[in-house]
Amino acid sequence: MNRLYYQDIRKQLEIYFILGSQNAKKDPLETVKEALEGGITCFQFREKGIGSLQGAEKRELATSLFALCQQYHVPFIINDDVDLAIELDADGVHVGQEDEDIASVREKIGPSKMLGVSVHTKEELRRAAELADYVGIGPVFGTRSKDDAKEPAGTWLIEHATKMYPSLPKVGIGGITPENAVIVRNAGADGVAVISAIAASKDIRLTANLFK
Ligand code: 3NM
């Protein structure tokens, strides 16, 4: 696919599905394929936490998922593992506050790969706004998909980001479902980042589509 351009990022963030093999209820490739068929607009490979794959197994799964995303012209972002993103020539990298410093990540990946950063405070947002292509703001609602998730924060930081950094693309994350996504979008988010509502759904295609 073509490289990402800044003006496209907002649209690409609309339905941002995140998955690692540790979140998948069935084959991760089948899960992501059904989500792509359902209309997800971005995918993040987040192989993290208890039971996650390492080394060659992780690389192999990433390679297969990247190829699948390319078939659907959906950006493939890798969580945290900057070296793997560079090795595979992924479309971008997403880092949290506990991961590698964002200035060093930007230096390694260059200007053309998408850099996403998770933020939870005004200060984290201010620093990310200087270097990131988009921010993830959460957890909006309660989540069980992240071991060290913070308390649900609602939408105040999304509203603050919308006001203070109107041109910075942003997604809400944490406990988002097709039913409550409207609250996140109404706060100013360009999209919703979702793990369990899609990954644990009995009908992944349909659920992904309901986020439209
Ligand atoms: N990051 P679910 S919350 C990966 O607040 C992640 O930064 C968060 O999963 C943050 O859609 C979260 O299942 C988990 O709640 C989101």
PDB file of all heavy atoms in Angstrom, residues 18 44 46 79 118-120 136-146 149-150 173-176 193-197, ligand 1:
ATOM      1  N   ILE A  18      -7.104  -3.613  17.880  1.00  0.00           N
ATOM      2  CA  ILE A  18      -5.821  -3.988  18.476  1.00  0.00           C
ATOM      3  C   ILE A  18      -5.914  -5.443  18.911  1.00  0.00           C
ATOM      4  O   ILE A  18      -6.904  -5.846  19.523  1.00  0.00           O
ATOM      5  CB  ILE A  18      -5.528  -3.100  19.711  1.00  0.00           C
ATOM      6  CG1 ILE A  18      -5.517  -1.622  19.323  1.00  0.00           C
ATOM      7  CG2 ILE A  18      -4.213  -3.503  20.368  1.00  0.00           C
ATOM      8  CD1 ILE A  18      -5.391  -0.676  20.519  1.00  0.00           C
ATOM      9  N   GLN A  44      -3.486  -2.718  15.038  1.00  0.00           N
ATOM     10  CA  GLN A  44      -2.245  -2.711  15.831  1.00  0.00           C
ATOM     11  C   GLN A  44      -1.961  -4.116  16.378  1.00  0.00           C
ATOM     12  O   GLN A  44      -2.816  -4.716  17.023  1.00  0.00           O
ATOM     13  CB  GLN A  44      -2.371  -1.728  17.001  1.00  0.00           C
ATOM     14  CG  GLN A  44      -1.113  -1.661  17.862  1.00  0.00           C
ATOM     15  CD  GLN A  44      -1.331  -0.861  19.144  1.00  0.00           C
ATOM     16  OE1 GLN A  44      -1.084  -1.335  20.236  1.00  0.00           O
ATOM     17  NE2 GLN A  44      -1.817   0.373  19.011  1.00  0.00           N
ATOM     18  N   ARG A  46      -0.387  -6.045  19.068  1.00  0.00           N
ATOM     19  CA  ARG A  46       0.056  -5.774  20.447  1.00  0.00           C
ATOM     20  C   ARG A  46       0.277  -7.106  21.146  1.00  0.00           C
ATOM     21  O   ARG A  46      -0.594  -7.626  21.828  1.00  0.00           O
ATOM     22  CB  ARG A  46      -1.000  -4.946  21.178  1.00  0.00           C
ATOM     23  CG  ARG A  46      -0.604  -4.528  22.584  1.00  0.00           C
ATOM     24  CD  ARG A  46      -1.652  -3.584  23.168  1.00  0.00           C
ATOM     25  NE  ARG A  46      -1.337  -3.184  24.516  1.00  0.00           N
ATOM     26  CZ  ARG A  46      -1.618  -3.886  25.610  1.00  0.00           C
ATOM     27  NH1 ARG A  46      -2.233  -5.048  25.502  1.00  0.00           N
ATOM     28  NH2 ARG A  46      -1.286  -3.435  26.800  1.00  0.00           N
ATOM     29  N   ASN A  79       2.966  -2.485  18.239  1.00  0.00           N
ATOM     30  CA  ASN A  79       3.054  -1.922  19.585  1.00  0.00           C
ATOM     31  C   ASN A  79       4.445  -2.176  20.149  1.00  0.00           C
ATOM     32  O   ASN A  79       4.903  -3.316  20.217  1.00  0.00           O
ATOM     33  CB  ASN A  79       1.986  -2.582  20.477  1.00  0.00           C
ATOM     34  CG  ASN A  79       1.971  -1.967  21.859  1.00  0.00           C
ATOM     35  OD1 ASN A  79       2.889  -2.146  22.650  1.00  0.00           O
ATOM     36  ND2 ASN A  79       0.933  -1.225  22.149  1.00  0.00           N
ATOM     37  N   SER A 118       0.385   6.558  23.635  1.00  0.00           N
ATOM     38  CA  SER A 118      -0.685   6.524  24.647  1.00  0.00           C
ATOM     39  C   SER A 118      -0.445   7.621  25.669  1.00  0.00           C
ATOM     40  O   SER A 118       0.671   7.750  26.185  1.00  0.00           O
ATOM     41  CB  SER A 118      -0.677   5.188  25.402  1.00  0.00           C
ATOM     42  OG  SER A 118      -0.968   4.147  24.532  1.00  0.00           O
ATOM     43  N   VAL A 119      -1.473   8.391  25.968  1.00  0.00           N
ATOM     44  CA  VAL A 119      -1.324   9.458  26.961  1.00  0.00           C
ATOM     45  C   VAL A 119      -2.473   9.399  27.964  1.00  0.00           C
ATOM     46  O   VAL A 119      -3.592   9.010  27.629  1.00  0.00           O
ATOM     47  CB  VAL A 119      -1.257  10.864  26.297  1.00  0.00           C
ATOM     48  CG1 VAL A 119      -0.078  10.967  25.348  1.00  0.00           C
ATOM     49  CG2 VAL A 119      -2.549  11.201  25.565  1.00  0.00           C
ATOM     50  N   HIS A 120      -2.147   9.793  29.197  1.00  0.00           N
ATOM     51  CA  HIS A 120      -3.155   9.746  30.268  1.00  0.00           C
ATOM     52  C   HIS A 120      -3.246  11.055  31.036  1.00  0.00           C
ATOM     53  O   HIS A 120      -4.089  11.199  31.899  1.00  0.00           O
ATOM     54  CB  HIS A 120      -2.827   8.611  31.238  1.00  0.00           C
ATOM     55  CG  HIS A 120      -2.584   7.306  30.555  1.00  0.00           C
ATOM     56  ND1 HIS A 120      -1.324   6.868  30.208  1.00  0.00           N
ATOM     57  CD2 HIS A 120      -3.442   6.363  30.097  1.00  0.00           C
ATOM     58  CE1 HIS A 120      -1.419   5.706  29.580  1.00  0.00           C
ATOM     59  NE2 HIS A 120      -2.694   5.380  29.496  1.00  0.00           N
ATOM     60  N   GLY A 136      -3.409   8.041  21.622  1.00  0.00           N
ATOM     61  CA  GLY A 136      -4.462   7.188  22.171  1.00  0.00           C
ATOM     62  C   GLY A 136      -4.732   7.673  23.581  1.00  0.00           C
ATOM     63  O   GLY A 136      -3.805   7.809  24.382  1.00  0.00           O
ATOM     64  N   ILE A 137      -5.994   7.954  23.875  1.00  0.00           N
ATOM     65  CA  ILE A 137      -6.342   8.529  25.180  1.00  0.00           C
ATOM     66  C   ILE A 137      -7.281   7.575  25.921  1.00  0.00           C
ATOM     67  O   ILE A 137      -8.359   7.235  25.425  1.00  0.00           O
ATOM     68  CB  ILE A 137      -7.016   9.917  25.006  1.00  0.00           C
ATOM     69  CG1 ILE A 137      -6.059  10.862  24.253  1.00  0.00           C
ATOM     70  CG2 ILE A 137      -7.387  10.496  26.367  1.00  0.00           C
ATOM     71  CD1 ILE A 137      -6.654  12.245  23.982  1.00  0.00           C
ATOM     72  N   GLY A 138      -6.857   7.149  27.134  1.00  0.00           N
ATOM     73  CA  GLY A 138      -7.699   6.219  27.871  1.00  0.00           C
ATOM     74  C   GLY A 138      -7.173   5.988  29.269  1.00  0.00           C
ATOM     75  O   GLY A 138      -6.259   6.667  29.698  1.00  0.00           O
ATOM     76  N   PRO A 139      -7.741   5.033  29.965  1.00  0.00           N
ATOM     77  CA  PRO A 139      -8.926   4.301  29.550  1.00  0.00           C
ATOM     78  C   PRO A 139     -10.197   5.128  29.780  1.00  0.00           C
ATOM     79  O   PRO A 139     -10.405   5.648  30.860  1.00  0.00           O
ATOM     80  CB  PRO A 139      -8.933   3.068  30.460  1.00  0.00           C
ATOM     81  CG  PRO A 139      -8.109   3.441  31.653  1.00  0.00           C
ATOM     82  CD  PRO A 139      -7.192   4.550  31.242  1.00  0.00           C
ATOM     83  N   VAL A 140     -10.992   5.224  28.737  1.00  0.00           N
ATOM     84  CA  VAL A 140     -12.234   5.995  28.838  1.00  0.00           C
ATOM     85  C   VAL A 140     -13.184   5.267  29.794  1.00  0.00           C
ATOM     86  O   VAL A 140     -13.713   5.847  30.737  1.00  0.00           O
ATOM     87  CB  VAL A 140     -12.889   6.162  27.448  1.00  0.00           C
ATOM     88  CG1 VAL A 140     -14.191   6.949  27.578  1.00  0.00           C
ATOM     89  CG2 VAL A 140     -11.944   6.867  26.478  1.00  0.00           C
ATOM     90  N   PHE A 141     -13.353   3.973  29.556  1.00  0.00           N
ATOM     91  CA  PHE A 141     -14.204   3.150  30.414  1.00  0.00           C
ATOM     92  C   PHE A 141     -13.340   2.059  31.051  1.00  0.00           C
ATOM     93  O   PHE A 141     -12.159   1.941  30.730  1.00  0.00           O
ATOM     94  CB  PHE A 141     -15.344   2.514  29.590  1.00  0.00           C
ATOM     95  CG  PHE A 141     -16.144   3.502  28.790  1.00  0.00           C
ATOM     96  CD1 PHE A 141     -16.015   3.569  27.405  1.00  0.00           C
ATOM     97  CD2 PHE A 141     -17.017   4.384  29.418  1.00  0.00           C
ATOM     98  CE1 PHE A 141     -16.746   4.481  26.650  1.00  0.00           C
ATOM     99  CE2 PHE A 141     -17.749   5.299  28.675  1.00  0.00           C
ATOM    100  CZ  PHE A 141     -17.609   5.360  27.291  1.00  0.00           C
ATOM    101  N   GLY A 142     -13.924   1.254  31.914  1.00  0.00           N
ATOM    102  CA  GLY A 142     -13.174   0.175  32.552  1.00  0.00           C
ATOM    103  C   GLY A 142     -12.734  -0.867  31.528  1.00  0.00           C
ATOM    104  O   GLY A 142     -13.466  -1.169  30.596  1.00  0.00           O
ATOM    105  N   THR A 143     -11.518  -1.393  31.711  1.00  0.00           N
ATOM    106  CA  THR A 143     -11.004  -2.384  30.769  1.00  0.00           C
ATOM    107  C   THR A 143     -10.353  -3.536  31.521  1.00  0.00           C
ATOM    108  O   THR A 143      -9.769  -3.333  32.581  1.00  0.00           O
ATOM    109  CB  THR A 143      -9.983  -1.761  29.798  1.00  0.00           C
ATOM    110  OG1 THR A 143      -9.502  -2.799  28.931  1.00  0.00           O
ATOM    111  CG2 THR A 143      -8.803  -1.130  30.525  1.00  0.00           C
ATOM    112  N   ARG A 144     -10.442  -4.732  30.944  1.00  0.00           N
ATOM    113  CA  ARG A 144      -9.751  -5.883  31.525  1.00  0.00           C
ATOM    114  C   ARG A 144      -8.658  -6.380  30.584  1.00  0.00           C
ATOM    115  O   ARG A 144      -8.075  -7.432  30.800  1.00  0.00           O
ATOM    116  CB  ARG A 144     -10.759  -6.989  31.811  1.00  0.00           C
ATOM    117  CG  ARG A 144     -11.608  -6.621  33.024  1.00  0.00           C
ATOM    118  CD  ARG A 144     -12.225  -7.834  33.651  1.00  0.00           C
ATOM    119  NE  ARG A 144     -13.496  -8.145  33.031  1.00  0.00           N
ATOM    120  CZ  ARG A 144     -14.150  -9.277  33.199  1.00  0.00           C
ATOM    121  NH1 ARG A 144     -13.645 -10.234  33.920  1.00  0.00           N
ATOM    122  NH2 ARG A 144     -15.323  -9.471  32.623  1.00  0.00           N
ATOM    123  N   SER A 145      -8.399  -5.592  29.527  1.00  0.00           N
ATOM    124  CA  SER A 145      -7.457  -6.072  28.515  1.00  0.00           C
ATOM    125  C   SER A 145      -6.026  -5.600  28.747  1.00  0.00           C
ATOM    126  O   SER A 145      -5.131  -5.963  27.997  1.00  0.00           O
ATOM    127  CB  SER A 145      -7.901  -5.612  27.127  1.00  0.00           C
ATOM    128  OG  SER A 145      -9.203  -6.050  26.868  1.00  0.00           O
ATOM    129  N   LYS A 146      -5.804  -4.773  29.762  1.00  0.00           N
ATOM    130  CA  LYS A 146      -4.451  -4.259  30.002  1.00  0.00           C
ATOM    131  C   LYS A 146      -4.144  -4.478  31.478  1.00  0.00           C
ATOM    132  O   LYS A 146      -4.883  -3.988  32.342  1.00  0.00           O
ATOM    133  CB  LYS A 146      -4.424  -2.755  29.646  1.00  0.00           C
ATOM    134  CG  LYS A 146      -3.046  -2.154  29.627  1.00  0.00           C
ATOM    135  CD  LYS A 146      -3.100  -0.711  29.126  1.00  0.00           C
ATOM    136  CE  LYS A 146      -1.719  -0.198  28.780  1.00  0.00           C
ATOM    137  NZ  LYS A 146      -1.193   0.697  29.778  1.00  0.00           N
ATOM    138  N   ALA A 149      -3.697  -1.231  33.522  1.00  0.00           N
ATOM    139  CA  ALA A 149      -4.571  -0.116  33.106  1.00  0.00           C
ATOM    140  C   ALA A 149      -4.871   0.799  34.287  1.00  0.00           C
ATOM    141  O   ALA A 149      -4.983   0.348  35.431  1.00  0.00           O
ATOM    142  CB  ALA A 149      -5.861  -0.651  32.510  1.00  0.00           C
ATOM    143  N   LYS A 150      -5.020   2.082  33.997  1.00  0.00           N
ATOM    144  CA  LYS A 150      -5.375   3.034  35.043  1.00  0.00           C
ATOM    145  C   LYS A 150      -6.893   3.005  35.275  1.00  0.00           C
ATOM    146  O   LYS A 150      -7.630   2.326  34.555  1.00  0.00           O
ATOM    147  CB  LYS A 150      -4.922   4.432  34.601  1.00  0.00           C
ATOM    148  CG  LYS A 150      -3.418   4.488  34.315  1.00  0.00           C
ATOM    149  CD  LYS A 150      -2.915   5.893  34.290  1.00  0.00           C
ATOM    150  CE  LYS A 150      -1.456   6.008  33.902  1.00  0.00           C
ATOM    151  NZ  LYS A 150      -0.511   5.087  34.510  1.00  0.00           N
ATOM    152  N   ILE A 173      -9.619   4.979  23.958  1.00  0.00           N
ATOM    153  CA  ILE A 173      -9.386   3.542  24.170  1.00  0.00           C
ATOM    154  C   ILE A 173      -9.835   3.151  25.573  1.00  0.00           C
ATOM    155  O   ILE A 173      -9.823   3.982  26.482  1.00  0.00           O
ATOM    156  CB  ILE A 173      -7.899   3.175  23.931  1.00  0.00           C
ATOM    157  CG1 ILE A 173      -7.677   1.667  24.060  1.00  0.00           C
ATOM    158  CG2 ILE A 173      -6.965   3.941  24.894  1.00  0.00           C
ATOM    159  CD1 ILE A 173      -6.360   1.183  23.487  1.00  0.00           C
ATOM    160  N   GLY A 174     -10.202   1.880  25.713  1.00  0.00           N
ATOM    161  CA  GLY A 174     -10.530   1.342  27.030  1.00  0.00           C
ATOM    162  C   GLY A 174     -12.017   1.114  27.204  1.00  0.00           C
ATOM    163  O   GLY A 174     -12.768   2.064  27.387  1.00  0.00           O
ATOM    164  N   GLY A 175     -12.440  -0.139  27.119  1.00  0.00           N
ATOM    165  CA  GLY A 175     -13.828  -0.510  27.388  1.00  0.00           C
ATOM    166  C   GLY A 175     -14.814   0.000  26.354  1.00  0.00           C
ATOM    167  O   GLY A 175     -16.012   0.115  26.651  1.00  0.00           O
ATOM    168  N   ILE A 176     -14.347   0.300  25.156  1.00  0.00           N
ATOM    169  CA  ILE A 176     -15.249   0.872  24.144  1.00  0.00           C
ATOM    170  C   ILE A 176     -15.996  -0.245  23.411  1.00  0.00           C
ATOM    171  O   ILE A 176     -15.420  -1.260  23.025  1.00  0.00           O
ATOM    172  CB  ILE A 176     -14.474   1.795  23.170  1.00  0.00           C
ATOM    173  CG1 ILE A 176     -13.810   2.932  23.984  1.00  0.00           C
ATOM    174  CG2 ILE A 176     -15.416   2.376  22.109  1.00  0.00           C
ATOM    175  CD1 ILE A 176     -12.931   3.854  23.170  1.00  0.00           C
ATOM    176  N   ALA A 193     -10.310   2.918  19.607  1.00  0.00           N
ATOM    177  CA  ALA A 193      -9.374   1.791  19.607  1.00  0.00           C
ATOM    178  C   ALA A 193      -9.952   0.715  20.516  1.00  0.00           C
ATOM    179  O   ALA A 193     -10.336   0.993  21.649  1.00  0.00           O
ATOM    180  CB  ALA A 193      -8.007   2.235  20.091  1.00  0.00           C
ATOM    181  N   VAL A 194     -10.006  -0.501  19.987  1.00  0.00           N
ATOM    182  CA  VAL A 194     -10.802  -1.552  20.623  1.00  0.00           C
ATOM    183  C   VAL A 194     -10.067  -2.891  20.625  1.00  0.00           C
ATOM    184  O   VAL A 194      -9.543  -3.299  19.584  1.00  0.00           O
ATOM    185  CB  VAL A 194     -12.121  -1.749  19.821  1.00  0.00           C
ATOM    186  CG1 VAL A 194     -12.951  -2.876  20.392  1.00  0.00           C
ATOM    187  CG2 VAL A 194     -12.927  -0.460  19.760  1.00  0.00           C
ATOM    188  N   ILE A 195     -10.034  -3.545  21.771  1.00  0.00           N
ATOM    189  CA  ILE A 195      -9.565  -4.942  21.793  1.00  0.00           C
ATOM    190  C   ILE A 195     -10.776  -5.872  21.989  1.00  0.00           C
ATOM    191  O   ILE A 195     -11.269  -6.477  21.046  1.00  0.00           O
ATOM    192  CB  ILE A 195      -8.532  -5.220  22.909  1.00  0.00           C
ATOM    193  CG1 ILE A 195      -7.290  -4.325  22.754  1.00  0.00           C
ATOM    194  CG2 ILE A 195      -8.114  -6.707  22.870  1.00  0.00           C
ATOM    195  CD1 ILE A 195      -6.230  -4.530  23.843  1.00  0.00           C
ATOM    196  N   SER A 196     -11.271  -5.959  23.239  1.00  0.00           N
ATOM    197  CA  SER A 196     -12.160  -7.077  23.585  1.00  0.00           C
ATOM    198  C   SER A 196     -13.530  -7.039  22.914  1.00  0.00           C
ATOM    199  O   SER A 196     -14.070  -8.105  22.590  1.00  0.00           O
ATOM    200  CB  SER A 196     -12.315  -7.184  25.100  1.00  0.00           C
ATOM    201  OG  SER A 196     -12.753  -5.966  25.635  1.00  0.00           O
ATOM    202  N   ALA A 197     -14.091  -5.851  22.712  1.00  0.00           N
ATOM    203  CA  ALA A 197     -15.442  -5.832  22.122  1.00  0.00           C
ATOM    204  C   ALA A 197     -15.438  -6.540  20.769  1.00  0.00           C
ATOM    205  O   ALA A 197     -16.413  -7.198  20.408  1.00  0.00           O
ATOM    206  CB  ALA A 197     -15.949  -4.395  21.979  1.00  0.00           C
TER     207      ALA A 197
HETATM  208  N1  3NM B   1      -4.419   0.854  26.484  1.00  0.00           N
HETATM  209  P1  3NM B   1     -10.415  -3.041  25.569  1.00  0.00           P
HETATM  210  S1  3NM B   1      -6.601   0.714  27.731  1.00  0.00           S
HETATM  211  C1  3NM B   1      -4.230  -1.309  25.307  1.00  0.00           C
HETATM  212  O1  3NM B   1      -5.603   3.405  28.666  1.00  0.00           O
HETATM  213  C2  3NM B   1      -4.929  -0.380  26.183  1.00  0.00           C
HETATM  214  O2  3NM B   1      -3.854   3.428  27.397  1.00  0.00           O
HETATM  215  C3  3NM B   1      -5.191   1.544  27.324  1.00  0.00           C
HETATM  216  O3  3NM B   1      -8.829  -2.885  25.567  1.00  0.00           O
HETATM  217  C4  3NM B   1      -4.861   2.879  27.832  1.00  0.00           C
HETATM  218  O4  3NM B   1     -10.922  -2.464  24.312  1.00  0.00           O
HETATM  219  C5  3NM B   1      -6.160  -0.605  26.784  1.00  0.00           C
HETATM  220  O5  3NM B   1     -10.630  -4.540  25.636  1.00  0.00           O
HETATM  221  C6  3NM B   1      -6.981  -1.839  26.639  1.00  0.00           C
HETATM  222  O6  3NM B   1     -10.919  -2.370  26.810  1.00  0.00           O
HETATM  223  C7  3NM B   1      -8.157  -1.671  25.716  1.00  0.00           C
END
